[in-house]
């Protein structure tokens, strides 16, 4: 293991300190050391946007705190859910009295802790509603979407929810937009090499050299097939064949494509896959309105990529173009 | 080797196609397939900003094409200089008649090809002046700065040069600002694992597991010491001990810090190192005006980090805050 850390048991603490110092124009600490908030949170008159999840997925989750994106984030250990208390304190930090939208991924620990936090928030007079991301096509069948995990599509859910809240929408409108975003989004990942949690010291799953795992999860959850590593163009074909029929995406649709590396796969290779994904979609008459390619949602130094496609309507198109300023995603308008 | 490519001999071609398709709001192809330009280049009434270098350093170099940054970039093979012809075509693509600043790194191939391109550009009536980045402290002694290589400090040179040009400055003023930026900048890298050029198929240098190479170059050029891998805080101490006395940076100075990963080192670890770098600088009375932490200048999937520090004066401070929009760096104002 070739890790640049101090005490492997305190990587999250050390990382958070550095993150807050480096990004003090955007984020600030709170009384709960596992909750980071936007410097202007709670934003007066705006629905609060909260998320949270395990560490090791940079820039997710804390990198999406900022203007017109997330107001507060609950931070877990590496690949582990934040506590209910961290979610509660994030909710409080984001609450300006207009309600809080908690937009998070479908994992057992997160579900349990968010629900506990919501009950406590209610006792404090804070109304919280949720959207649970389940964009990962590979984690359950089409008829069991409620079992699917949330993966990189969460970035688009936060973008849309954050943009809607920035327009002064009420809690129900924010939830409706974020839910529509994730309902219109499908993702799938390909893993080519595992990662190592510093405190564990060895990979907690294996991908043999020369093989790839189709549908792998962000924590090494088993995918749907282990096969020999294919060429980039064949991988692009394979992952679009999984994603496109699932929604389905049809000729004439306008979409956003987000192609993320899992950590150690060079961005060069991500663009090589994107090149073919773009061609495949265009051949099918699907129009790519906007593309994001880069390390938007990683798993330490895992190798591989994830592909995410979101179908747009007029509202989502307007919201995806709203300016945003965060460590993980900063964009001017259209 | 676990690479997601098609033909390993054509990774640059395939990558460029994907890059142009994904970022069509910012960049466009030119008649020379190895030159990419800003969609609005040449920008009327503005000094053109050109750079170029080998591929494999994403987001460098093409990721820094955009508004208030680089106008055109010459693209080389992996870790190899672009041709003189590519530099010449980049210069032509960036030229609006106000002259072109070619801001590049100090490598033999780049020097030779840029100088050849300048002679040809002169024959076409285009005035070109250069700044040659030499921010890497480890590549030669303090008295031989002209021998030092350019590394991640180039990002700050482009930022400053691009910002100055955006203000309507003339060629001499742009060159003066970019030269000041690099003269005020020092960098050093630590490598912990090598990378593999796809067409080669095995690393072209080695770093043994559990070791680190202090002062390693962006292409695996030998550093100044090979030692057992230290803790993050000790690494922070080691690299600041190299950088700070070199300029020197003194108590009362205001600086920009750029801490980049080399590719596969998780951003989490970069923040762990940044945390200590920040503490060390503050203890010395050096004020960090702005910090950039992330994968700003990489070497495929090499592991390790580079630290870059730039001393500010009033002009550099104003210029570093100018808004910029590119794939590698997008920021609103201050």
């Amino acid at each position: 293991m070739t890790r640049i850390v101090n005490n492997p048991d305190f990587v999250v603490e050390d990382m958070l300190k550095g993150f807050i110092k480096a990004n003090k124009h955007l984020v600030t600490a709170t009384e709960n050391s596992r909750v980071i908030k936007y410097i202007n949170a709670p934003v007066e008159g705006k629905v609060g946007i909260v998320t949270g999840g395990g560490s090791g997925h940079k820039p997710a989750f804390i990198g999406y705190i900022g203007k017109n994106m997330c107001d507060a984030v609950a931070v877990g250990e590496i690949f582990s859910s934040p506590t209910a208390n961290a979610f509660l304190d994030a909710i409080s930090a984001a609450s300006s009295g207009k309600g809080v939208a908690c937009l998070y991924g479908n994992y057992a620990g997160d579900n349990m802790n968010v629900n506990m936090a919501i009950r406590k928030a209610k006792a404090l007079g804070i109304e919280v509603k949720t959207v649970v991301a389940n964009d990962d096509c590979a984690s359950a069948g089409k008829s069991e979407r409620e079992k699917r995990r949330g993966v990189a599509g969460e970035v688009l859910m936060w973008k849309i929810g954050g943009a809607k809240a920035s327009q002064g929408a009420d809690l129900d409108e924010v939830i409706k937009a974020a839910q529509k975003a994730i309902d219109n989004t499908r993702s799938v990942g390909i893993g080519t090499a595992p990662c190592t949690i510093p405190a564990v010291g060895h990979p907690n799953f294996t991908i043999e050299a020369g093989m790839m795992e189709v549908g792998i999860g962000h924590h090494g959850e088993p995918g749907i097939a282990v096969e020999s590593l294919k060429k980039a163009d064949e991988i692009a074909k394979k992952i679009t064949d999984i994603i496109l029929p699932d929604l389905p995406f049809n000729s004439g649709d306008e979409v956003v494509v987000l192609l993320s590396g899992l950590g150690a796969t060079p961005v060069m290779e991500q663009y090589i896959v994107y090149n073919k994904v773009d061609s495949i979609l265009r051949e099918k008459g699907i129009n790519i309105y906007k593309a994001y390619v880069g390390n938007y949602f990683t798993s330490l130094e895992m190798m591989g990529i994830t592909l995410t496609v979101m179908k747009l309507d007029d509202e989502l198109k307007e919201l995806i173009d709203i300016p945003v300023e965060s460590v993980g995603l900063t964009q001017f308008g259209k």
Side-chain angles (χ1 to χ4, degrees), chain A residues 1 66 87 108 116 137 160 179 200 217 306 312 318 320 323 334:
Chain A
M1 193 180 58
F87 275 113
M116 225 185 295
C137 291
I160 296 299
Q179 185 69 55
V200 175
T306 61
L312 297 171
E318 181 192 342
I320 201 77
K334 193 172 177 179

Side-chain angles (χ1 to χ4, degrees), chain A residues 7 153 174:
Chain A
N7 184 334
V174 170

Side-chain angles (χ1 to χ4, degrees), chain A residues 264-328:
Chain A
T265 287
V267 177
M268 178 178 77
E269 296 176 21
Q270 300 169 33
Y271 278 113
I272 293 174
V273 177
Y274 178 77
N275 180 47
K276 186 67 179 177
V277 167
D278 184 288
S279 297
I280 292 170
L281 267 60
R282 277 173 211 284
E283 276 164 25
K284 291 184 185 292
I286 298 167
N287 178 31
I288 300 175
Y289 181 71
K290 198 186 276 281
Y292 300 102
V293 180
N295 291 325
Y296 287 96
F297 203 122
T298 65
S299 296
L300 295 170
E301 81 291 5
M302 205 191 289
M303 291 192 111
I305 52 124
T306 61
L307 177 68
T308 298
V309 184
M310 177 171 75
K311 181 176 169 174
L312 297 171
D313 63 7
D314 288 344
E315 183 190 25
L316 294 178
K317 207 162 149 176
E318 181 192 342
L319 295 172
I320 201 77
D321 280 336
I322 296 278
V324 60
E325 186 179 12
S326 68
V327 171

Side-chain angles (χ1 to χ4, degrees), chain A residues 177-219:
Chain A
Q179 185 69 55
K180 181 165 66 179
I182 209 70
D183 285 345
N184 281 14
T185 298
R186 295 294 183 274
S187 300
V188 74
I190 297 268
T192 59
C195 60
T196 295
I197 298 173
V200 175
H202 57 81
N204 58 341
F205 61 100
T206 52
I207 302 171
E208 279 178 57
M211 304 298 282
M212 66 181 192
E213 183 148 354
V214 181
I216 196 164
H218 268 154
H219 315 95

Side-chain angles (χ1 to χ4, degrees), chain A residues 47-307:
Chain A
V47 168
I49 305 287
V50 162
T51 191
S55 293
H57 299 297
K58 286 267 160 328
F61 295 82
I62 54 176
Y64 294 108
I65 299 172
K67 189 173 182 187
N68 301 347
M69 200 98 177
C70 300
D71 293 293
V73 166
V75 179
E77 283 300 313
I78 304 280
F79 295 175
S80 300
S81 175
T83 63
N85 206 39
F87 275 113
L88 175 64
D89 289 343
I91 288 165
S92 298
S95 168
S96 73
K98 276 202 70 172
V100 171
C102 185
L103 314 177
Y104 69 102
N106 190 25
Y107 295 90
D110 295 312
N111 282 320
M112 186 180 74
N113 291 326
V114 166
N115 286 327
M116 225 185 295
I118 290 176
R119 282 198 298 277
K120 291 183 182 177
K122 200 174 176 186
L124 298 174
I126 305 173
E127 187 183 17
V128 184
K129 294 191 175 181
T130 62
V131 177
V132 186
N134 54 1
D135 51 305
D136 182 5
C137 291
S139 48
K142 206 170 158 176
S143 59
E144 299 184 300
R145 265 193 69 215
E146 74 287 353
K147 291 190 184 170
R148 289 179 172 179
R149 295 183 294 259
V151 283
E154 294 180 35
V155 177
L156 301 178
M157 171 179 72
W158 301 322
K159 174 73 189 76
I160 296 299
K164 191 74 185 178
S166 79
Q167 295 183 321
D170 67 24
L171 181 56
D172 284 335
E173 291 166 332
V174 170
I175 290 293
K176 202 175 156 195
Q179 185 69 55
K180 181 165 66 179
I182 209 70
D183 285 345
N184 281 14
T185 298
R186 295 294 183 274
S187 300
V188 74
I190 297 268
T192 59
C195 60
T196 295
I197 298 173
V200 175
H202 57 81
N204 58 341
F205 61 100
T206 52
I207 302 171
E208 279 178 57
M211 304 298 282
M212 66 181 192
E213 183 148 354
V214 181
I216 196 164
H218 268 154
H219 315 95
E221 295 94 336
I224 49 184
V226 177
E227 330 180 340
S228 60
L229 181 60
K230 301 296 187 298
K231 288 188 176 181
D233 284 0
E234 294 169 69
I235 290 175
K237 172 88 168 60
K238 192 171 280 284
I239 55 184
T240 50
D241 278 350
I242 294 171
I243 284 180
L244 299 182
D246 196 277
L247 186 66
F249 297 88
N250 295 315
S251 178
D253 285 348
E254 277 195 298
V255 300
V256 170
V257 175
L258 186 154
L259 196 150
S260 179
L262 281 174
T265 287
V267 177
M268 178 178 77
E269 296 176 21
Q270 300 169 33
Y271 278 113
I272 293 174
V273 177
Y274 178 77
N275 180 47
K276 186 67 179 177
V277 167
D278 184 288
S279 297
I280 292 170
L281 267 60
R282 277 173 211 284
E283 276 164 25
K284 291 184 185 292
I286 298 167
N287 178 31
I288 300 175
Y289 181 71
K290 198 186 276 281
Y292 300 102
V293 180
N295 291 325
Y296 287 96
F297 203 122
T298 65
S299 296
L300 295 170
E301 81 291 5
M302 205 191 289
M303 291 192 111
I305 52 124
T306 61
L307 177 68

